[in-house]
Amino acid sequence: MVEFLQFLVPGILIGGVYALLASGLGLIFGVMRVVNFAQADFMMLAMYLSWALFAGGFGLDPFLAVPAVFVVFLLLGMAVHWMFIRFVIGRRENHDAQVILTIGLGLIFQNLILIRYSSEPRVVAPSYANAGDFIGDIFISRVRLYAFLLSVLVAALLFLFLNRSRTGRAIRAASENWEAATYMGIDIDRTNRIAFGVGVALTAVGGSALVTFQSITPFVGFRFVVVMFAAVVLGGLGSVSGAFVGGVLIGIIQSVSQVWTSAAVKNVWVFALFLLILYVRPNGLFGKVQRAI
Amino acid sequence: MRRVVPFVVLIAVVAVLNGWLDQRFYVRVLTLSVVWALAGVAWNLMAKAGQISLGHSAFVGIGAYGFTLLLRGGGTSPWTGMVIGMGVAAAVALAIGLPTFRLRGFYFTLATISFPLIMELLVSHYGDPELTVPFHPESEWKFMEFSNSHTYVWVGLGMLVVALAISELIDVTSFGFALRAIRDNEVLARAVGIRTVAWKSAAFMISAALSAAMAVLWVKAVLRVTVAEEVFGITVVIVMLSVAFVGGVGQTWGPVVGAAFLIPLAMFLDDSIGESVPGAQELVYAAALVLVALLIPRGILPAIEKGFRRLATWPRPSLEQAGPSLLVRLAAPPPRPSPLLRTPRRPRRSRLPQPSDTPVLEVDGVAKSFGANRVLSDVVFSVDAGRRVGIIGPNGAGKTTLFNIMTAHLRADAGRILFKGVQVDRMRAPRRYELGMSRTFQVPQGFHLMSPLDNVVVAAIGASLPDPVAASMAMLERVGLAGKAIGELNALTTAEIKSLELARAMVSDPDLLLLDEPLAGLNETERARFFETVDELVSPDTAIVVIEHSVRSLIQYVESVVALDEGRVIAQGPPEDVVSDPRVIEAYLGSRWMEHARDQ
């Protein structure tokens, strides 16, 4: 039992971060029906930014850097939408273009970082990196706890933004019914741009929450791509709150699987669960059934 | 002839280069160009059905590991290993594909991502992350151990030609028609008898097998070591995507053009600046993907073709100018689908016999809800052979939902549908079409990338007609569209689109024809003409069910009417009785009008 809890608790903690990573992807899909394959690479870029702010002479604590990371990636996301994504929105014929455009952008990010910083792994180690507390027999890592709390805080802010602000409501309206939203006088291009910016920024914040215990390479995104997709599909494609629940579940499964199998294959369980969900409940655990025609 | 020329050009170009180049690096560039063209052709087979796979490295990995393990274990020839690997890859493709092929949209793409990742993790952890390929100098051909590196190019060229031939063959047979129809409009394809899951599975299996074959050549000719991270890696998929999309997605020759352009570019760049710029190769593929997505999403080949056609028809020939120029004829698409379509692949599936005492259609207690919204409850009616029945009711009464349940686009929550006395509830849309059920759509549907003729040909193929092209052309003549048979679908007027819908629905000579608001958008003359055309086309035994808002036109045509309101049958019987039924008037006009009418 104690062994189980020793895996369950860190699983919930890391799951909170996965939830944050996935909520950005879910928001973007929900609003503009684009599966952003570059999402994990925005996360990678954010990790490098946190590392640069920490190790590059500023010595800025990665958790304190979060507001800066959020703003930078909000703007970067909006810029990327304005320069690229908006040209492939909408029509069914653009489906293929969306896939290859976002894959291509992700690859460009990876290789530009590779050229600039090489593939050497980078670490961000603040003074409390190895600190932690025992609650009973269970060790709770300080940085993972902070990362989890940060994710919960951002989730609460996101909830307020989507439900209380005018822009947030426009985003929800667009995600509910794109066409009806335009009839209600919602500027869909602007809403998309903001949603893409916010979606990228959420994942970026998730990335900076990770840096204290995840080493950074240009290709670190690969490890998270399927984790993010799995979380989003688990919660129902396009549902932000579903993505949150999905993220926590993925974190738990990944961690608890280590009771039975080696940590090296923990992602096999995630991928297998991802497939299982796609096959048996493609609309997600709580997904709505869509009409056929 | 048109189809042979590219093969001759390809073989000639590769042969000349292979004979002329002697520096090791250049031969390597040539080999890899052929290898990736082959991989792209394999990947593209799936794209013909509009399915973007991000998991093909699973099949490449299976091919590479399969032959290496067999060679190490029992000294099995790589050729035998290749065949076995192809078989395993095809079986795995079937297992991967079947669960996702029923879903539309992004699900197939998403599902494919994780397979190579799972395999790589399992192979690296429980197997060997790296396997050397044992050296067998005793027999060059048996062990694919060529001392002359040019031989690998010849072998690769041979494999590429075979793969291209398979792809061409698919294009010109009903296989290709089915895949294009699926890519274009999957719902419609199912409604005209295209068994989408079977065709997609077949394409995926062939595609997987060719990918496994390519892996053997890749490892033997270039890699020399089987590394899990490489053969199962995402880069394999990236290169496949890049060569296919740059050349032309879904186009047989696309990947050849894409590979000829991208692979040398990436390799020369890597050779010249790779030392200082480590990601140069990947940047080439990435930039290609982004540029293609933004500028020419269909790829180079279709873009060239389009430009060529525009050039050839400029200045636009006047209408009187008969006899197109040579350029126009070269650039125009082949006017008729291939003669290969004429061979019946299988005997026409036998229709159900029509028992004389049973109605063609019986709807028995059908109910349907969308969430809490009850759309149909306990709908009961039947239609006898040769009869015409109208369905009326205000918007939202559940009429189209009822059609969708009859043709298996939706599943009923309760109740039964009997077609010629046989319960069809568990049969899917293509099967019901084969049995003799056919429909048109409220919002006209079409395969927009196909000509009007091909739109009907797909339906004829779905009905397994022995000569789909002739049957379709004859049907177009009867609805008066023969002159527009090979034009663009988007050039048709509303009335012509309605005629095309009718032709597509009638080409199978159905026993039950379902028309969903056929008169919407037509003017008075066209309305009057429409039902005349229907009567000219149908055989006397065909039962017809029409949904129509234009009640006046409808009651002149049908023999009985079923009135629906809020998902319930509120009246049925002879048209005059139903339209004068107070409940029907109330449903259409509201209770206030009823009071008004009573006061008069």
Side-chain angles (χ1 to χ4, degrees), chain A residues 29 33 35 37 84 95-98 100-101 103-105 107-108 111 114-115 222 226 229 237 262 264-265 267-268 271 274-275 278-279 282-283 291-293, chain B residues 52 54 96 99-100 103 105-107 110-111 113-115 117-118 121 125-126 234 238 241 245 277-279 282-283 286 289-290 293-294 370 404 409-410:
Chain A
F29 183 83
R33 304 283 137 182
V35 176
F37 288 95
F84 303 101
H95 183 136
D96 297 355
Q98 292 165 7
I100 57 169
L101 175 66
I103 289 179
L105 287 175
L107 274 176
I108 290 178
N111 288 291
L114 176 70
I115 290 166
F222 283 141
V226 180
F229 284 142
L237 258 177
S262 141
V265 292
N267 274 339
V268 171
F271 303 157
F274 173 49
L275 290 172
L278 276 177
Y279 293 163
N283 290 311
R291 288 177 65 157
I293 301 178
Chain B
I52 305 295
L54 298 180
I96 294 177
T100 39
L103 307 167
F106 288 101
Y107 289 111
L110 287 181
I113 297 179
S114 55
F115 286 99
L117 295 169
I118 291 183
L121 276 173
H125 189 70
Y126 296 108
I234 188 78
I238 301 284
L241 274 178
F245 268 98
V277 186
E282 282 73 15
L283 274 179
L289 286 177
V290 171
L294 294 178
F370 295 118
N404 283 342
H409 291 92
L410 287 174

Coordinates of all heavy atoms in Angstrom, one line a residue, chain A residues 29 33 35 37 84 95-98 100-101 103-105 107-108 111 114-115 222 226 229 237 262 264-265 267-268 271 274-275 278-279 282-283 291-293, chain B residues 52 54 96 99-100 103 105-107 110-111 113-115 117-118 121 125-126 234 238 241 245 277-279 282-283 286 289-290 293-294 370 404 409-410:
Chain A
F29 N -7.6 23.1 -30.0 CA -8.4 22.3 -30.9 C -9.9 22.7 -30.7 O -10.6 22.7 -31.7 CB -8.2 20.8 -30.5 CG -9.0 19.9 -31.4 CD1 -8.5 19.5 -32.7 CD2 -10.3 19.5 -31.1 CE1 -9.3 18.8 -33.5 CE2 -11.1 18.7 -31.9 CZ -10.6 18.4 -33.1
R33 N -10.4 23.8 -34.2 CA -10.3 22.5 -34.8 C -9.0 22.2 -35.5 O -8.9 21.6 -36.5 CB -11.5 22.2 -35.8 CG -12.8 22.5 -35.2 CD -13.3 21.4 -34.4 NE -14.0 21.9 -33.2 CZ -14.5 21.2 -32.2 NH1 -14.4 19.9 -32.3 NH2 -15.0 21.8 -31.2
V35 N -5.3 20.4 -34.8 CA -4.5 19.6 -33.9 C -3.1 20.2 -34.1 O -2.5 20.1 -35.1 CB -4.5 18.1 -34.3 CG1 -3.6 17.4 -33.4 CG2 -5.9 17.6 -34.1
F37 N 0.5 20.0 -33.8 CA 1.5 19.0 -33.6 C 2.8 19.8 -33.1 O 3.8 19.1 -32.7 CB 1.8 18.2 -34.8 CG 0.8 17.2 -35.1 CD1 -0.3 17.5 -36.0 CD2 0.8 16.0 -34.5 CE1 -1.3 16.6 -36.3 CE2 -0.2 15.1 -34.8 CZ -1.2 15.4 -35.6
F84 N 1.2 32.1 -39.8 CA 1.1 30.8 -40.4 C -0.3 30.2 -40.3 O -1.0 29.9 -41.3 CB 2.1 29.8 -39.9 CG 3.5 30.2 -40.0 CD1 4.2 30.7 -38.9 CD2 4.2 30.1 -41.2 CE1 5.5 31.1 -39.0 CE2 5.5 30.5 -41.3 CZ 6.2 31.0 -40.2
H95 N -7.3 20.4 -43.8 CA -7.0 19.4 -42.8 C -5.5 18.9 -43.0 O -4.7 18.9 -42.0 CB -8.0 18.2 -43.0 CG -7.9 17.1 -42.0 ND1 -8.9 16.6 -41.4 CD2 -6.8 16.5 -41.6 CE1 -8.5 15.6 -40.6 NE2 -7.2 15.5 -40.7
D96 N -5.2 18.5 -44.2 CA -3.8 18.0 -44.4 C -2.8 19.1 -44.2 O -1.7 18.9 -43.6 CB -3.6 17.5 -45.9 CG -4.5 16.3 -46.2 OD1 -5.2 15.8 -45.3 OD2 -4.6 15.9 -47.3
A97 N -3.1 20.3 -44.7 CA -2.2 21.4 -44.5 C -1.9 21.7 -43.1 O -0.8 22.0 -42.7 CB -2.7 22.6 -45.3
Q98 N -3.0 21.6 -42.2 CA -2.8 21.9 -40.8 C -1.8 20.9 -40.2 O -0.9 21.3 -39.5 CB -4.1 21.7 -40.1 CG -5.1 22.8 -40.4 CD -6.5 22.4 -40.0 OE1 -6.7 21.4 -39.3 NE2 -7.5 23.2 -40.3
I100 N 0.7 19.1 -41.7 CA 2.1 19.3 -42.1 C 2.6 20.6 -41.7 O 3.8 20.7 -41.4 CB 2.3 19.0 -43.6 CG1 1.5 19.9 -44.5 CG2 2.1 17.5 -43.9 CD1 1.9 19.8 -45.9
L101 N 1.8 21.6 -41.7 CA 2.3 22.9 -41.2 C 2.8 22.9 -39.8 O 3.9 23.3 -39.5 CB 1.2 24.0 -41.4 CG 1.6 25.4 -40.8 CD1 2.7 26.0 -41.7 CD2 0.4 26.3 -40.8
I103 N 3.5 20.2 -38.0 CA 4.7 19.4 -37.8 C 6.0 20.1 -38.3 O 7.0 20.0 -37.6 CB 4.5 18.1 -38.6 CG1 3.4 17.2 -38.0 CG2 5.8 17.3 -38.8 CD1 3.2 15.9 -38.7
G104 N 5.8 20.8 -39.4 CA 7.0 21.5 -40.0 C 7.5 22.6 -39.0 O 8.7 22.7 -38.8
L105 N 6.5 23.3 -38.4 CA 6.9 24.4 -37.5 C 7.7 23.8 -36.3 O 8.7 24.3 -35.9 CB 5.7 25.2 -37.0 CG 5.1 26.1 -38.1 CD1 3.8 26.7 -37.5 CD2 6.0 27.2 -38.4
L107 N 9.4 21.1 -36.1 CA 10.7 20.6 -36.6 C 11.7 21.8 -36.7 O 12.8 21.7 -36.3 CB 10.6 20.0 -37.9 CG 10.3 18.5 -38.0 CD1 10.2 18.1 -39.4 CD2 11.4 17.7 -37.3
I108 N 11.1 22.9 -37.2 CA 12.0 24.1 -37.3 C 12.4 24.6 -36.0 O 13.6 24.9 -35.7 CB 11.2 25.2 -38.1 CG1 11.1 24.8 -39.6 CG2 12.0 26.6 -38.0 CD1 10.3 25.8 -40.4
N111 N 15.2 22.3 -34.6 CA 16.5 22.3 -35.2 C 17.2 23.7 -35.1 O 18.4 23.8 -35.1 CB 16.4 21.9 -36.7 CG 16.1 20.4 -36.8 OD1 17.0 19.6 -36.4 ND2 14.9 20.0 -37.1
L114 N 18.6 23.3 -31.8 CA 19.8 22.4 -31.9 C 21.0 23.2 -32.4 O 22.1 23.0 -31.9 CB 19.4 21.2 -32.8 CG 20.6 20.3 -33.1 CD1 20.9 19.4 -31.9 CD2 20.2 19.3 -34.3
I115 N 20.8 24.0 -33.4 CA 21.9 24.7 -34.0 C 22.5 25.7 -33.0 O 23.7 25.9 -32.9 CB 21.4 25.5 -35.3 CG1 21.1 24.4 -36.4 CG2 22.4 26.5 -35.8 CD1 20.3 25.0 -37.6
F222 N 9.3 15.3 -28.0 CA 8.8 14.0 -28.4 C 8.2 13.2 -27.2 O 7.3 12.5 -27.3 CB 9.9 13.2 -28.9 CG 10.3 13.5 -30.3 CD1 11.6 13.6 -30.8 CD2 9.3 13.9 -31.3 CE1 11.9 13.9 -32.1 CE2 9.6 14.2 -32.6 CZ 10.9 14.2 -33.0
V226 N 2.8 12.5 -27.1 CA 1.7 11.6 -27.0 C 1.0 11.7 -25.6 O -0.2 11.5 -25.5 CB 2.2 10.1 -27.3 CG1 1.1 9.2 -27.1 CG2 2.8 10.1 -28.7
F229 N -1.4 14.4 -26.2 CA -2.6 14.0 -27.0 C -3.4 13.0 -26.2 O -4.7 13.0 -26.3 CB -2.1 13.3 -28.3 CG -1.6 14.2 -29.3 CD1 -0.5 14.0 -30.1 CD2 -2.3 15.4 -29.5 CE1 -0.1 14.9 -31.1 CE2 -1.8 16.4 -30.5 CZ -0.7 16.1 -31.2
L237 N -11.7 15.4 -27.1 CA -11.0 16.4 -27.9 C -11.8 17.7 -27.9 O -13.0 17.8 -28.2 CB -11.0 15.9 -29.4 CG -9.7 15.3 -29.9 CD1 -9.9 14.9 -31.4 CD2 -8.6 16.3 -29.9
S262 N 9.1 -1.8 -15.5 CA 10.2 -0.8 -15.3 C 9.8 0.6 -15.8 O 9.0 0.8 -16.6 CB 11.4 -1.3 -16.2 OG 12.0 -0.3 -16.9
A264 N 11.4 2.5 -17.6 CA 11.7 2.7 -19.0 C 10.5 2.5 -19.9 O 10.5 3.1 -21.0 CB 12.9 1.8 -19.4
V265 N 9.6 1.7 -19.5 CA 8.5 1.4 -20.4 C 7.2 2.0 -19.9 O 6.1 1.7 -20.3 CB 8.3 -0.1 -20.7 CG1 9.4 -0.6 -21.5 CG2 8.1 -0.9 -19.4
N267 N 5.9 4.8 -20.5 CA 5.0 5.4 -21.5 C 4.3 4.4 -22.4 O 3.3 4.8 -23.0 CB 5.9 6.3 -22.4 CG 6.1 7.7 -21.8 OD1 5.3 8.1 -21.0 ND2 7.2 8.4 -22.2
V268 N 4.7 3.2 -22.4 CA 4.0 2.2 -23.2 C 2.5 2.1 -22.6 O 1.6 2.0 -23.4 CB 4.6 0.8 -23.1 CG1 3.7 -0.3 -23.7 CG2 6.0 0.8 -23.8
F271 N 0.6 5.1 -23.9 CA 0.2 5.0 -25.3 C -0.9 3.9 -25.5 O -1.8 4.1 -26.3 CB 1.4 4.5 -26.2 CG 2.6 5.4 -26.1 CD1 3.9 5.0 -26.4 CD2 2.5 6.8 -25.7 CE1 5.0 5.9 -26.3 CE2 3.5 7.6 -25.6 CZ 4.8 7.2 -25.9
F274 N -4.0 5.5 -24.5 CA -4.4 6.4 -25.5 C -5.2 5.7 -26.6 O -6.3 6.1 -27.1 CB -3.1 7.1 -26.0 CG -3.3 7.9 -27.2 CD1 -4.3 8.9 -27.3 CD2 -2.4 7.8 -28.3 CE1 -4.4 9.8 -28.4 CE2 -2.5 8.7 -29.4 CZ -3.5 9.6 -29.4
L275 N -4.6 4.5 -27.1 CA -5.2 3.8 -28.2 C -6.6 3.2 -27.7 O -7.6 3.2 -28.4 CB -4.3 2.6 -28.6 CG -3.1 3.1 -29.3 CD1 -2.1 1.9 -29.5 CD2 -3.4 3.7 -30.7
L278 N -9.1 5.8 -27.8 CA -9.5 6.1 -29.2 C -10.4 5.1 -29.8 O -11.4 5.3 -30.5 CB -8.2 6.2 -30.1 CG -7.5 7.5 -30.1 CD1 -6.2 7.3 -31.0 CD2 -8.3 8.6 -30.7
Y279 N -10.2 3.8 -29.4 CA -11.0 2.7 -30.0 C -12.3 2.6 -29.3 O -13.4 2.4 -30.0 CB -10.2 1.4 -29.8 CG -9.0 1.3 -30.7 CD1 -8.0 0.3 -30.4 CD2 -8.8 2.2 -31.7 CE1 -6.9 0.3 -31.2 CE2 -7.7 2.1 -32.5 CZ -6.7 1.2 -32.2 OH -5.6 1.1 -33.0
P282 N -14.0 7.3 -28.5 CA -13.3 8.3 -29.2 C -13.7 9.7 -28.8 O -12.9 10.6 -29.1 CB -13.6 8.0 -30.7 CG -14.8 7.1 -30.7 CD -14.7 6.4 -29.4
N283 N -14.9 9.9 -28.3 CA -15.3 11.2 -27.8 C -14.8 11.5 -26.4 O -15.2 12.5 -25.9 CB -16.8 11.4 -27.9 CG -17.2 11.4 -29.4 OD1 -16.7 12.2 -30.2 ND2 -18.2 10.6 -29.7
R291 N -23.7 14.4 -33.9 CA -24.6 13.9 -35.0 C -23.9 13.5 -36.2 O -22.8 14.1 -36.5 CB -25.6 15.0 -35.3 CG -26.6 15.2 -34.1 CD -27.6 16.3 -34.4 NE -28.4 16.0 -35.6 CZ -29.6 16.6 -35.8 NH1 -30.1 17.4 -34.9 NH2 -30.3 16.3 -36.8
A292 N -24.4 12.6 -37.0 CA -23.7 12.0 -38.1 C -23.7 13.0 -39.3 O -22.7 13.2 -39.9 CB -24.3 10.7 -38.5
I293 N -24.9 13.5 -39.7 CA -24.9 14.4 -40.8 C -25.4 15.8 -40.4 O -26.4 15.8 -39.8 CB -25.8 13.8 -42.0 CG1 -25.3 12.5 -42.4 CG2 -25.8 14.8 -43.2 CD1 -26.1 11.8 -43.5
Chain B
I52 N -4.0 10.5 -43.3 CA -2.6 10.9 -43.0 C -2.1 10.0 -41.9 O -2.5 10.1 -40.8 CB -2.5 12.4 -42.6 CG1 -3.2 13.3 -43.6 CG2 -1.1 12.8 -42.4 CD1 -2.5 13.3 -45.0
L54 N 0.8 8.9 -39.4 CA 2.1 9.3 -38.7 C 2.8 8.1 -38.1 O 3.7 8.3 -37.3 CB 1.8 10.4 -37.7 CG 1.2 11.7 -38.3 CD1 1.0 12.7 -37.1 CD2 2.2 12.3 -39.3
I96 N -4.1 -2.3 -36.6 CA -4.1 -0.9 -36.3 C -5.3 -0.2 -36.9 O -6.0 0.6 -36.3 CB -2.8 -0.2 -36.8 CG1 -1.6 -0.8 -36.0 CG2 -2.9 1.3 -36.6 CD1 -0.3 -0.2 -36.5
P99 N -9.9 -0.7 -36.0 CA -10.7 0.1 -35.0 C -10.8 1.6 -35.3 O -11.8 2.2 -34.9 CB -9.8 -0.1 -33.7 CG -8.9 -1.2 -34.0 CD -8.6 -1.2 -35.4
T100 N -9.9 2.1 -36.1 CA -10.0 3.6 -36.3 C -10.7 3.9 -37.6 O -11.1 5.1 -37.8 CB -8.6 4.2 -36.4 OG1 -7.7 3.4 -37.1 CG2 -8.1 4.5 -35.0
L103 N -14.0 5.7 -37.6 CA -14.0 7.1 -37.2 C -13.5 8.0 -38.3 O -12.7 7.6 -39.1 CB -13.1 7.3 -36.0 CG -13.3 6.3 -34.8 CD1 -12.2 6.4 -33.9 CD2 -14.6 6.7 -34.1
G105 N -12.2 12.1 -39.5 CA -11.4 13.3 -39.0 C -10.0 12.9 -38.6 O -9.3 12.1 -39.2
F106 N -9.6 13.5 -37.4 CA -8.2 13.3 -37.0 C -7.9 12.0 -36.3 O -6.7 11.8 -36.0 CB -7.8 14.5 -36.1 CG -7.8 15.8 -36.7 CD1 -8.8 16.7 -36.6 CD2 -6.6 16.2 -37.4 CE1 -8.7 18.0 -37.2 CE2 -6.5 17.4 -38.0 CZ -7.6 18.3 -37.9
Y107 N -8.9 11.2 -36.1 CA -8.6 10.1 -35.2 C -7.6 9.1 -35.7 O -6.8 8.6 -35.0 CB -9.9 9.4 -34.8 CG -10.8 10.2 -33.9 CD1 -12.0 10.8 -34.3 CD2 -10.4 10.4 -32.6 CE1 -12.7 11.5 -33.5 CE2 -11.1 11.2 -31.8 CZ -12.3 11.8 -32.2 OH -13.1 12.5 -31.4
L110 N -4.2 10.6 -35.2 CA -3.8 10.5 -33.8 C -3.4 9.1 -33.4 O -2.4 8.9 -32.7 CB -4.9 11.1 -33.0 CG -5.1 12.6 -33.0 CD1 -6.2 13.0 -32.1 CD2 -3.8 13.3 -32.7
A111 N -4.3 8.2 -33.8 CA -4.0 6.8 -33.4 C -2.7 6.2 -33.9 O -2.0 5.5 -33.2 CB -5.2 5.9 -33.8
I113 N 0.1 7.7 -34.4 CA 1.3 8.2 -33.8 C 1.9 7.3 -32.8 O 3.2 7.1 -32.8 CB 1.0 9.5 -33.0 CG1 0.5 10.6 -34.0 CG2 2.3 10.0 -32.3 CD1 0.2 11.9 -33.2
S114 N 1.1 6.6 -32.0 CA 1.7 6.0 -30.8 C 2.3 4.6 -31.1 O 3.1 4.1 -30.4 CB 0.7 5.9 -29.7 OG -0.5 5.2 -30.2
F115 N 1.9 4.0 -32.3 CA 2.4 2.6 -32.5 C 3.9 2.5 -32.6 O 4.5 1.7 -31.9 CB 1.7 2.0 -33.7 CG 0.3 1.6 -33.4 CD1 -0.7 2.4 -33.8 CD2 0.1 0.4 -32.7 CE1 -2.0 2.1 -33.5 CE2 -1.2 0.1 -32.4 CZ -2.3 0.9 -32.8
L117 N 6.1 4.4 -31.4 CA 6.7 4.8 -30.1 C 6.6 3.6 -29.2 O 7.6 3.2 -28.5 CB 5.9 6.0 -29.5 CG 6.1 7.3 -30.3 CD1 5.1 8.3 -29.8 CD2 7.5 7.8 -30.2
I118 N 5.5 2.9 -29.1 CA 5.3 1.7 -28.3 C 6.3 0.7 -28.7 O 7.1 0.1 -27.9 CB 3.9 1.1 -28.4 CG1 2.9 2.0 -27.8 CG2 3.8 -0.3 -27.8 CD1 1.5 1.5 -27.8
L121 N 10.0 1.5 -27.8 CA 10.2 1.4 -26.3 C 10.3 -0.1 -26.0 O 11.3 -0.5 -25.3 CB 9.1 2.0 -25.5 CG 9.1 3.5 -25.3 CD1 7.9 4.0 -24.6 CD2 10.3 3.7 -24.4
H125 N 13.8 -1.9 -24.8 CA 13.9 -2.4 -23.5 C 14.0 -3.9 -23.3 O 14.8 -4.4 -22.6 CB 12.7 -1.9 -22.7 CG 12.8 -2.1 -21.2 ND1 13.7 -1.4 -20.4 CD2 12.2 -3.0 -20.4 CE1 13.6 -1.8 -19.2 NE2 12.7 -2.8 -19.1
Y126 N 13.1 -4.6 -24.1 CA 13.1 -6.1 -23.9 C 13.9 -6.8 -25.0 O 14.2 -7.9 -24.9 CB 11.6 -6.6 -23.9 CG 10.8 -6.0 -22.8 CD1 9.8 -5.1 -22.9 CD2 11.1 -6.5 -21.5 CE1 9.1 -4.6 -21.9 CE2 10.3 -6.0 -20.4 CZ 9.3 -5.1 -20.6 OH 8.6 -4.6 -19.5
I234 N 10.7 8.9 -35.6 CA 9.8 9.9 -36.3 C 10.4 10.4 -37.6 O 9.6 10.8 -38.5 CB 9.4 11.0 -35.3 CG1 8.3 11.9 -35.8 CG2 10.6 11.8 -34.9 CD1 6.9 11.3 -35.7
I238 N 8.7 11.7 -41.1 CA 8.9 13.1 -41.6 C 9.3 13.1 -43.0 O 8.8 13.8 -43.9 CB 9.9 13.8 -40.7 CG1 9.5 13.9 -39.3 CG2 10.2 15.2 -41.3 CD1 8.5 14.9 -38.9
L241 N 6.4 11.9 -45.3 CA 5.5 13.1 -45.4 C 6.0 14.1 -46.4 O 5.3 14.6 -47.2 CB 5.3 13.8 -44.1 CG 4.3 13.3 -43.0 CD1 4.4 14.1 -41.8 CD2 2.9 13.4 -43.6
F245 N 4.2 15.0 -49.8 CA 3.4 16.3 -49.8 C 4.1 17.3 -50.8 O 3.4 18.0 -51.5 CB 3.4 17.0 -48.5 CG 2.1 16.6 -47.7 CD1 2.1 15.6 -46.8 CD2 0.9 17.2 -48.0 CE1 1.0 15.2 -46.1 CE2 -0.3 16.8 -47.3 CZ -0.2 15.8 -46.4
V277 N 26.3 23.2 -38.9 CA 24.8 23.3 -38.7 C 24.2 21.9 -38.6 O 23.9 21.3 -39.6 CB 24.2 24.0 -39.9 CG1 22.7 24.3 -39.6 CG2 24.9 25.3 -40.1
P278 N 24.1 21.4 -37.4 CA 23.7 19.9 -37.2 C 22.3 19.6 -37.7 O 22.1 18.5 -38.2 CB 23.8 19.7 -35.7 CG 23.8 21.1 -35.1 CD 24.3 22.0 -36.1
G279 N 21.4 20.5 -37.7 CA 20.0 20.1 -38.1 C 19.7 20.5 -39.5 O 18.5 20.6 -39.9
E282 N 17.1 18.2 -41.5 CA 15.8 18.3 -41.0 C 15.1 19.6 -41.3 O 13.9 19.7 -41.6 CB 15.7 18.0 -39.5 CG 15.9 16.6 -39.0 CD 17.3 16.0 -39.2 OE1 18.2 16.8 -39.4 OE2 17.5 14.8 -39.1
L283 N 16.0 20.7 -41.3 CA 15.4 22.0 -41.6 C 14.9 22.0 -43.1 O 13.9 22.7 -43.4 CB 16.5 23.0 -41.4 CG 16.6 23.6 -40.0 CD1 17.7 24.6 -39.9 CD2 15.3 24.2 -39.5
A286 N 11.6 20.4 -42.9 CA 10.6 21.2 -42.2 C 10.2 22.4 -43.0 O 9.0 22.7 -43.1 CB 11.2 21.7 -40.9
L289 N 7.8 21.3 -45.7 CA 6.4 21.1 -45.2 C 5.7 22.4 -45.0 O 4.5 22.5 -45.4 CB 6.5 20.3 -43.9 CG 6.9 18.8 -44.0 CD1 6.9 18.2 -42.6 CD2 5.8 18.0 -44.8
V290 N 6.3 23.3 -44.4 CA 5.7 24.6 -44.1 C 5.3 25.3 -45.4 O 4.2 25.8 -45.6 CB 6.6 25.5 -43.2 CG1 6.0 26.9 -43.1 CG2 6.7 24.9 -41.8
A293 N 2.5 23.6 -47.2 CA 1.2 23.8 -46.5 C 0.6 25.2 -46.8 O -0.6 25.3 -47.0 CB 1.4 23.7 -45.0
L294 N 1.5 26.2 -46.9 CA 1.0 27.5 -47.1 C 0.8 27.9 -48.6 O -0.1 28.6 -48.9 CB 2.0 28.5 -46.5 CG 2.1 28.5 -45.0 CD1 3.2 29.5 -44.5 CD2 0.8 28.8 -44.3
F370 N -31.4 12.6 -29.6 CA -30.1 13.1 -29.5 C -29.9 13.7 -28.1 O -30.5 14.8 -27.8 CB -29.8 14.2 -30.5 CG -29.9 13.7 -31.9 CD1 -30.8 14.1 -32.8 CD2 -29.0 12.7 -32.4 CE1 -30.9 13.7 -34.1 CE2 -29.0 12.3 -33.7 CZ -30.0 12.7 -34.5
N404 N -32.2 9.0 -42.4 CA -30.8 8.6 -42.0 C -30.8 7.3 -41.2 O -29.9 6.5 -41.3 CB -30.2 9.7 -41.1 CG -29.7 10.9 -41.9 OD1 -29.5 10.8 -43.1 ND2 -29.5 12.1 -41.2
H409 N -27.2 5.8 -41.7 CA -26.3 6.8 -41.3 C -26.5 7.2 -39.8 O -25.6 7.8 -39.2 CB -26.6 8.1 -42.2 CG -26.1 7.8 -43.6 ND1 -27.0 7.4 -44.6 CD2 -24.9 7.9 -44.2 CE1 -26.4 7.2 -45.7 NE2 -25.1 7.6 -45.5
L410 N -27.6 6.8 -39.3 CA -27.8 6.9 -37.9 C -28.4 5.5 -37.4 O -29.0 4.8 -38.2 CB -28.8 8.0 -37.5 CG -28.4 9.4 -37.7 CD1 -29.6 10.4 -37.5 CD2 -27.3 9.7 -36.7

